[in-house]
Amino acid sequence: MHSQPGTSADRATLELQRRLEEAEETLRAIREGEVDALVMRNPQDEDEVFTLEGGTESYRAFMEVMEIGAAAFDVSGRLIYANKALLMLLGMREATLDTDIFQSLGKAQRSAIADAIHMGLNAKVSREMVLNRPDGEHHVQLSASPLTLGLSRGVAVTFTDITARIQALAALESERAAHAVIASANEAVIVCDVNGIITHANAAVEGVTAQNPIGLPFSTAIPIVVPDATGLVEGNEFVSLAISGSAVQGIEAHAPQAPRIKDLLISAAPLRLGERIAGCVVTMVDLSQRKALEKRQLLLMGELDHRVKNTLALVLSIAKRTGTPDGTVESFKKAFASRIQALAATHNILAERSWDSVALREIVRVELEPYLGEQHARLQLTGQDFRVKPQAAISLGLILHELAANAAKYGALSSLDGHVDVTIHDNAEGGASLEWKEQGGPPVFPPTRAGFGQTVITRSMQYAADGGAEMRYDPDGVWCVIRIPATEITRMAG
C-alpha cells in the first residue's frame, strides 16, 4: 500500500528523502575534497561560517596545517576526515576513510571518543584520556564541537597531546614536595649540583655554617674534619663520591668553624632524576648531645674507678681499726658489719643522686634510722639544710653512725627518756656545722681510751683546713660539733 501524494505524510516522506540525499551529497563532497566552507557554532550558540578560499584543497590544507590531531564525524559517529597529526598521535602513517583508525585503542579510550562525539553534536565538550603507546603513556585532551558541513551536521573533534604539560605539572609538584620535605627536616640538608656547588639548603643548616652556603662548594661553606681518618678524608670527597653514584652513610665528623653544631653525623647520596645523576643530597645530624653524653660517661667511669678504689681502701681501714686485741670474733663481726652498712647507706643515697651531692638532713635520717626505728620523736633535727659533696657525705655518714652507735650503747638512745638534738648551723666562713647533743640519757663518763669511733669522729673531716670535729663527754650527754668545710657545701635554692 502506497501513500497518496498531497497528504501530510507524503510531504514528510519527501522532505526526509530530500534531506538524506543532501546529506549523502555533502559526505561525498567531503570525501572528494570539494568542501570549501565550515559552519561552526560559537559559545553564544550562534552559527559562524568560515570560508576556505582557494579550491578543493583548501579544506584539507586547513586541517593538515593544524599541529594537533583533528577529525570530523557525521551525526552517526562515522569518521569523515582525520588529519596527519591525529594519525601520528595514534601511531599510524596513513589511513583511508574505510580504516578504523581507533581500532588499536582500548575500550575506555574508544568509549571516551564516542561519548565526546555524541555530546559534541549539541555543545562543545572536553574529555581527557590516556593513550598507551610503545614510547609510553600519552595524555590527550579531546575537544568536540558541533560542525555544519553544507547542509549536514557533524562533529569536529581535536586531539591535543598534553603529555608535556602533565609531566611539567607533575615535575613542578614533585619539586614542591621535595622542597617541603627538605625545609621541614630537623637535620641539616644540603643539595649540590654535579659540580659540587650548593644549590639548596634548609633552615637547619644555619647551625652548621654562619654564611649563606648557596653558590659555594661544600668544603668552603662547611669545613669539616674526620677525626678517625687522620686527615685523609675531606668534605669534598663525600660530595664527589655521591655525585659519582656511591652513597656515603653515617660518617662522624667535626665542623670546627660551625656556629652551634660542631659534631655531625654526615650522609651523602646521589640525586637521581630518572637515569641521570643531577647532583647529591647531604644530610648532617647533630651529634652534640650524644658526644656530651659519651664525654659524661667517660668521666663517670673514671670517677667510679676512683671512688671504688677509695671505698676499698676505706673498707680495709675500717676492718683493720675495728679489730682490737681484747675483742672477740663475734664483736668484730657485729661492729664491722654495722660500719659497712653505715657506709653502704650513704653510698645508696649518693648513687640515687648520681654522686652529685646530698642533703645533710637526709644523711642524718639514714644513719640514725637503724637506732630510732619508729621512735622518730627521739630525734630533733633543726636548722637550715645544706647539700654536701660526696667525700663529705661519706665522712659525715661514718661520723653520725659512730655517734648513734655510741648513744645507743651508752648514751641518750640507751634509755627510753633520752633523745638527740641535731642542729645545722650556717657558719660565717661559708661552711656549715652539725651540732650533736644528747640529753635525758644515763650519766656519761669519758672513755678511758680512744677507740675507733672517736678516731673517726675527730679525724674524718680534717682533710680540709676548716674541717674537723670537737667532742665532749658532758655528764648529761655527749656533745659534738662537726665543722664542714666551705668547699664541701652546695647551697640549696630557696
Side-chain angles (χ1 to χ4, degrees):
M1 187 174 189
H2 299 280
S3 300
Q4 295 299 318
T7 65
S8 58
D10 292 339
R11 288 194 295 274
T13 300
L14 290 174
E15 177 63 18
L16 178 60
Q17 289 177 343
R18 186 182 64 80
R19 295 181 62 181
L20 288 173
E21 290 172 354
E22 288 179 351
E24 290 176 353
E25 177 59 22
T26 300
L27 294 175
R28 185 201 62 77
I30 292 173
R31 294 192 186 99
E32 300 298 329
E34 297 175 356
V35 174
D36 57 1
L38 297 174
V39 180
M40 302 291 292
R41 181 159 295 172
N42 64 22
Q44 289 73 38
D45 203 25
E46 298 170 343
D47 289 342
E48 295 183 14
V49 179
F50 296 88
T51 301
L52 304 175
E53 303 292 347
T56 59
E57 295 299 321
S58 297
Y59 174 70
R60 293 177 184 274
F62 171 75
M63 297 287 283
E64 295 303 335
V65 297
M66 297 175 66
E67 294 182 353
I68 61 175
F73 299 86
D74 65 14
V75 293
S76 65
R78 188 175 59 175
L79 178 67
I80 298 174
Y81 187 79
N83 68 357
K84 289 182 180 178
L86 177 57
L87 297 180
M88 291 179 63
L89 181 64
L90 298 174
M92 304 173 68
R93 291 188 175 181
E94 58 183 12
T96 65
L97 291 176
D98 296 331
T99 303
D100 181 3
I101 63 173
F102 303 118
Q103 62 181 340
S104 62
L105 302 184
K107 182 178 179 180
Q109 290 80 5
R110 294 172 70 92
S111 176
I113 295 172
D115 181 64
I117 295 172
H118 175 71
M119 301 296 292
L121 281 171
N122 300 309
K124 182 178 180 180
V125 295
S126 293
R127 296 282 188 279
E128 288 189 14
M129 67 178 187
V130 177
L131 298 181
N132 293 309
R133 295 194 344 184
D135 59 344
E137 288 187 346
H138 281 248
H139 296 262
V140 176
Q141 183 176 39
L142 306 179
S143 292
S145 300
L147 172 68
T148 300
L149 297 172
L151 300 176
S152 299
R153 297 171 56 216
V155 181
V157 183
T158 58
F159 297 74
T160 305
D161 190 343
I162 58 173
T163 305
R165 191 179 76 191
I166 295 292
Q167 291 176 342
L169 289 173
L172 180 60
E173 188 63 25
S174 177
E175 185 175 358
R176 288 174 178 169
H179 284 179
V181 170
I182 292 174
S184 59
N186 292 326
E187 61 268 24
V189 181
I190 276 179
V191 179
C192 296
D193 63 15
V194 290
N195 297 314
I197 304 299
I198 297 175
T199 58
H200 297 78
N202 68 353
V205 174
E206 293 178 357
V208 184
T209 179
Q211 58 185 329
N212 181 2
I214 304 300
L216 299 176
F218 180 87
S219 59
T220 302
I222 308 171
I224 62 170
V225 293
V226 183
D228 297 334
T230 62
L232 297 178
V233 179
E234 297 178 349
N236 264 354
E237 295 189 52
F238 296 123
V239 175
S240 300
L241 285 170
I243 291 174
S244 65
S246 299
V248 179
Q249 292 184 341
I251 304 298
E252 290 191 18
H254 185 68
Q257 300 178 22
R260 286 191 296 108
I261 305 172
K262 296 183 184 296
D263 294 305
L264 303 166
L265 188 69
I266 296 182
S267 299
L271 176 61
R272 299 184 185 278
L273 297 180
E275 299 296 327
R276 179 173 62 91
I277 294 179
C280 70
V281 179
V282 182
T283 59
M284 292 165 282
V285 178
D286 183 3
L287 288 182
S288 302
Q289 291 187 349
R290 199 182 89 180
K291 286 292 182 183
L293 182 60
E294 289 177 354
K295 187 179 296 183
R296 178 175 173 76
Q297 286 178 335
L298 286 175
L299 290 173
L300 287 176
M301 289 177 65
E303 184 67 19
L304 179 62
D305 179 65
H306 168 70
R307 286 173 179 163
V308 166
K309 291 176 180 176
N310 287 352
T311 302
L312 290 175
L314 183 59
V315 170
L316 286 175
S317 176
I318 292 173
K320 181 180 179 181
R321 293 177 182 276
T322 300
T324 58
D326 56 347
T328 64
V329 174
E330 289 302 319
S331 65
F332 170 82
K333 289 169 61 177
K334 184 177 180 181
F336 181 73
S338 66
R339 285 166 179 157
I340 295 301
Q341 288 171 356
L343 181 63
T346 307
H347 269 251
N348 284 340
I349 56 177
L350 281 170
E352 291 173 357
R353 306 294 182 271
S354 300
W355 284 82
D356 188 5
S357 63
V358 294
L360 270 174
R361 286 172 177 265
E362 193 170 10
I363 299 173
V364 174
R365 289 196 183 96
V366 166
E367 295 298 342
L368 266 69
E369 182 67 27
Y371 303 97
L372 295 176
E374 296 180 353
Q375 299 178 358
H376 290 197
R378 302 180 70 185
L379 169 66
Q380 186 172 4
L381 182 57
T382 59
Q384 180 183 353
D385 202 2
F386 295 95
R387 300 186 75 87
V388 295
K389 296 179 180 178
Q391 185 176 2
I394 291 174
S395 296
L396 287 168
L398 290 174
I399 292 172
L400 289 166
H401 164 73
E402 294 301 330
L403 288 170
N406 183 72
K409 192 172 183 180
Y410 307 108
L413 298 182
S414 67
S415 68
L416 295 177
D417 298 329
H419 63 275
V420 177
D421 294 337
V422 177
T423 307
I424 301 172
H425 300 282
D426 186 0
N427 294 346
E429 296 80 10
S433 61
L434 197 69
E435 182 183 13
W436 173 282
K437 187 175 183 179
E438 298 179 26
Q439 290 181 315
V444 172
F445 301 97
T448 55
R449 61 180 179 86
F452 174 68
Q454 190 173 10
T455 302
V456 169
I457 294 169
T458 56
R459 293 176 52 182
S460 291
M461 298 300 292
Q462 290 183 350
Y463 60 84
D466 53 345
E470 182 181 355
M471 187 174 182
R472 294 198 311 262
Y473 292 91
D474 295 338
D476 55 348
V478 170
W479 175 88
C480 180
V481 171
I482 308 158
R483 298 187 303 276
I484 305 170
T487 54
E488 297 295 315
I489 292 293
T490 301
R491 300 283 172 175
M492 301 179 71

